[in-house]
Amino acid sequence: MFTLILSFFTIALLYATVGFGGGSSYIAILAAGGVPFTLIPKISLMCNLLVVAGGCYHYMKEGHFNKKLILPFVLSSVPMAFLGGSFPLTEKTFFILLTITLALCGIRILFLPDHKVEEVKNPGMVTSLTVGAFLGLLSGMVGIGGGIFLSPILINLKWARSKDAAAVASMFIFLNSLAGLAGQFMKDSSVPEGSTLLPLFIAVILGGQIGSRLGTHSKVSYQLIQKGTGILTLFISVRLILKHLV
């Protein structure tokens, strides 16, 4: 349990520095630890909410939040996250989606670095709605917030600079996690034990607060640690393939 708490604290701290909640790494660790698949998305989404709530506050306080940019994405992502969370999945289907998602997250962290944006362009409405809908559906079904994919899209397509992208990703994750969690509980009302959840919640709140403050007030780079997170995510996705799909 101590190792799990320390892992969640570290994940929350690192991901919060760039506006993420850490959902991809939470689900990776929970899946590797043999947690029942019906509980994995719920724990991950609840931890996401606790982490990015602080990030949303700090980024909005620093003036990085762009309402016009995020609105089209959340208009389509929130209902799709709820739909994805409420959609019934077999254990095998869940782990197939989870494995694909973790592999994509690991590849994104390791091989798709964000580029510096000199001039910002406005994304088209249809494109924003389409991207939001896809990420929202995936978020609700698997238990991530979707920000780990939205942020590089915003930066690499020159729709936002890094700080603004992190702020938008934080709010995107928060709203999708909330909608996805509601869908998950509509599908299955079972709740993890409080004795397990409370220490994890405290760990991610502390880690998230430290990380979000570092992310908004400093230029500290955690590239090496993020690369390690990417390797861990890919490693666990391979383990899941060998365990559930082979």
Side-chain angles (χ1 to χ4, degrees):
M1 191 62 190
F2 176 77
T3 303
L4 190 63
I5 292 170
L6 183 60
S7 298
F8 271 52
F9 170 81
T10 305
I11 290 167
L13 190 155
L14 294 176
Y15 277 79
T17 61
V18 288
F20 301 155
S24 58
S25 291
Y26 300 140
I27 57 178
I29 291 174
L30 293 170
V35 174
F37 83 100
T38 54
L39 298 180
I40 292 175
K42 294 176 182 175
I43 297 173
S44 173
L45 291 171
M46 284 188 281
C47 288
N48 261 352
L49 284 169
L50 294 172
V51 174
V52 297
C56 289
Y57 170 76
H58 291 296
Y59 281 114
M60 291 177 70
K61 185 179 178 181
E62 293 297 315
H64 294 294
F65 186 66
N66 187 333
K67 295 179 182 178
K68 288 183 64 177
L69 178 60
I70 192 174
L71 185 59
F73 290 104
V74 299
L75 281 176
S76 58
S77 70
V78 169
M80 292 302 287
F82 177 80
L83 179 65
S86 61
F87 192 80
L89 297 174
T90 64
E91 183 173 3
K92 183 175 182 179
T93 302
F94 171 77
F95 277 108
I96 289 174
L97 285 174
L98 178 59
T99 302
I100 293 172
T101 303
L102 291 178
L104 291 174
C105 287
I107 291 170
R108 175 268 182 272
I109 294 171
L110 288 172
F111 305 112
L112 297 175
D114 297 333
H115 301 293
K116 187 176 181 179
V117 178
E118 299 293 343
E119 185 178 350
V120 176
K121 301 185 294 186
N122 293 321
M125 178 64 72
V126 174
T127 302
S128 299
L129 291 171
T130 303
V131 171
F134 174 76
L135 294 181
L137 183 65
L138 182 64
S139 300
M141 295 176 79
V142 178
I144 62 174
I148 196 169
F149 295 121
L150 179 62
S151 183
I153 290 174
L154 293 175
I155 295 173
N156 293 322
L157 293 181
K158 299 182 178 180
W159 293 345
R161 294 183 175 86
S162 57
K163 293 285 186 182
D164 298 325
V168 168
S170 290
M171 184 60 71
F172 187 81
I173 293 168
F174 182 83
L175 295 175
N176 284 339
S177 296
L178 197 61
L181 190 61
Q184 289 286 340
F185 276 112
M186 176 171 283
K187 176 177 64 180
D188 174 25
S189 60
S190 60
V191 182
E193 292 184 6
S195 59
T196 300
L197 287 181
L198 186 58
L200 296 181
F201 286 171
I202 294 173
V204 298
I205 289 172
L206 292 175
Q209 284 295 311
I210 295 171
S212 60
R213 289 176 186 275
L214 286 174
T216 53
H217 294 98
S218 71
K219 296 182 179 179
V220 178
S221 174
Y222 293 96
Q223 290 185 359
L224 181 61
I225 304 176
Q226 288 178 351
K227 295 297 183 185
T229 304
I231 293 172
L232 171 65
T233 305
L234 281 177
F235 173 73
I236 293 177
S237 69
V238 172
R239 281 191 58 186
L240 291 175
I241 291 174
L242 295 176
K243 182 178 180 180
H244 295 279
L245 306 180
V246 176

